[in-house]
Amino acid sequence: MSVEYDFEGSVALVTGAAGALGGGVVEAFVDAGATVAAADLVDPDDVDLPAGATYYQGDFTDEESVAETVEAVVEDHGGVDFLANIAGTWRGGTPVDETDVETFDFLFDVNLKTMFLASKHALPHLRESAEGAIVSVSARSSLEGGEGDSVYRATKAGVRLLTESVAEENRGDVRANAIMPSVIDTPANREMMPDADHDAWPTPAEIADVICFLCSDGAGVTSGAAVPVYGEA
């Protein structure tokens, strides 16, 4: 059964829009009729967006850049109704005592700081919306420790816990939820794991559907949740 969403008249800000999942989320919101502000660090010439999305280049690890980007979106479109914190990355392969501090700083910046700063600067505008909602990307692996990617897991646990706090602090005004993917079916992951069962991995489009649901009226009673989106992965 397919579900269609009607976000006509709503404005969605999507970070990490140039990535595989971010691009899928942008497309899903556009298909649902939303005005989409697609934000990322990469050069505009390297971003392929569907008609109906406007690109905003900004460094979401830098607070001044985030503030300027959010204000530009509000000025251009009159507000923000949905924030999808998709910006993030994975690094791993070494135990804690062999992980350099540059990797630690990089992962906390890209995975957690971007989510914190985008939420911080979008929240005043989301509170003005009748349907304000934030969806951020945590990870299934954040639920427990593991070997080789401890810092990544810690950053995604931080996303999940910060989501719960944002939800509690904004009860009745803005809903905040997190999704927990495992391995997503992207070209990069297929290249990294060529012998895996790719059919078991959820696609960016399938995960984007869940994000749209969490922003919709259908999830009006859901806030502070960590929603599994890993399928059979």
Side-chain angles (χ1 to χ4, degrees), residues 97-116:
D97 59 304
E98 296 177 16
T99 300
D100 56 69
V101 72
E102 290 80 12
T103 298
F104 179 96
D105 289 341
F106 172 76
L107 284 171
F108 268 89
D109 277 352
V110 175
N111 290 344
L112 185 56
K113 190 177 183 181
T114 58
M115 177 262 184
F116 163 72

Side-chain angles (χ1 to χ4, degrees), residues 63-97:
E63 183 160 21
E64 183 176 354
S65 181
V66 175
E68 291 175 352
T69 302
V70 172
E71 288 306 314
V73 171
V74 172
E75 183 175 340
D76 290 345
H77 305 295
V80 178
D81 301 292
F82 311 130
L83 170 63
N85 285 311
I86 312 299
T89 191
W90 181 88
R91 291 289 189 279
T94 57
V96 170
D97 59 304

